[in-house]
Amino acid sequence: MGVRLMVVDDHRLLAEALASALKLRGHRVLAAAAPAAGAAELVITRAPEVCLIGTATPAEPGIFDPVVKIKKERPQVAVLVLGPVPNPRGIAAAFAAGASGYVRHDERIEGVERAIMKARAGEAAVAPQLLQGAFSELLNPAAQPDDEGQRLLQMLTPREVEVLVRVADGEDTRLIAAGMGIAPSTARTHVQRVLMKLGVGSRLEAAALAARTGLLDRAGPVTLSSADLPQDPRHTP
């Protein structure tokens, strides 16, 4: 028995070509749509058994938002992602969004059809080794080698991290020196080293980079030195 399908891809010609091939194999194609980003509403309205969604950038943040929306509104619709040669991150992102499988763009029509049948039956339509890599990615998302914030944090000494946090808080050299109990010249040297290691030319750029990469969140709160602690007025000279 044929499957009620929708085919969605940013490249309309690809969507229509795949739709035609599936029709010839006895499947009922409700629509072949483009672009993928705007097709969620159509899928929700038509409610196919399986929806094939094409993407050229499976690891791009937010690329699977339409899948999330479809699964939220029509959880019974099985979504298959059509993409390039996959990597664990792209596979993981697809499954995390609610997809039932991942099929390569260069897969033969027989392979696409097998994936469709698996997805309709509620099975994971992806090669076992790819699925294993995807689950590893989901379970250990922090172990990515391209985590820029973590990489930058490892370049700095604990003292330099404290300096960066204080710079991001808007402290000037005098306040940094007082807060850390060091000479202004030493504080200035620390700031210059931080800027050099981060590859930026100003304190503002350093603060922006730290915020953008999440470095400040990883750094944690600044430990107050004795200069930051309130003084007993009885011992104030």
Side-chain angles (χ1 to χ4, degrees):
M1 181 184 294
V3 180
R4 289 187 298 107
L5 298 167
M6 280 189 61
V7 182
V8 177
D9 197 291
D10 287 334
H11 299 89
R12 183 174 293 277
L13 286 177
L14 292 179
E16 291 178 350
L18 181 55
S20 296
L22 290 169
K23 284 180 182 179
L24 290 175
R25 300 181 76 86
H27 301 290
R28 182 186 175 193
V29 180
L30 304 180
E41 293 295 342
L42 184 59
V43 175
I44 292 168
T45 300
R46 296 290 186 90
E49 293 178 280
V50 179
C51 174
L52 290 84
I53 293 185
T55 177
T57 54
E60 181 180 329
I63 197 68
F64 294 124
D65 287 351
V67 180
V68 174
K69 186 172 184 178
I70 291 169
K71 296 303 292 185
K72 180 180 179 181
E73 299 294 331
R74 295 285 187 180
Q76 73 275 17
V77 175
V79 179
L80 278 178
V81 174
L82 304 173
V85 177
N87 58 64
R89 181 172 298 183
I91 295 286
F95 275 94
S100 298
Y102 189 105
V103 182
R104 285 171 50 162
H105 271 143
D106 58 357
E107 180 63 74
R108 296 173 63 89
I109 189 64
E110 293 84 3
V112 175
E113 190 173 37
R114 283 194 298 271
I116 289 171
M117 302 308 291
K118 281 188 174 183
R120 185 176 69 168
E123 302 176 22
V126 63
Q129 65 271 25
L130 296 180
L131 190 59
Q132 182 179 3
F135 284 141
S136 296
E137 175 73 22
L138 287 170
L139 293 173
N140 302 289
Q144 293 304 319
D146 57 347
D147 187 331
E148 188 178 4
Q150 185 62 33
R151 179 181 64 81
L152 294 174
L153 186 61
Q154 291 174 348
M155 293 169 56
L156 305 176
T157 66
R159 205 108 213 244
E160 289 166 349
V161 171
E162 181 177 352
V163 169
L164 177 59
V165 173
R166 291 180 180 276
V167 166
D169 285 341
E171 294 186 9
D172 59 18
T173 301
R174 180 182 59 82
L175 288 176
I176 292 173
M180 297 179 66
I182 57 179
S185 59
T186 303
R188 192 174 298 109
T189 298
H190 281 316
V191 171
Q192 291 303 316
R193 286 178 179 170
V194 168
L195 298 184
M196 181 182 66
K197 287 185 177 182
L198 296 183
V200 296
S202 71
R203 299 181 183 212
L204 183 59
E205 288 180 77
L209 177 63
R212 178 175 60 79
T213 60
L215 193 157
L216 295 177
D217 295 331
R218 292 180 174 86
V222 171
T223 301
L224 297 178
S225 66
S226 59
D228 295 288
L229 300 177
Q231 301 296 317
D232 188 332
R234 292 173 300 175
H235 295 92
T236 301

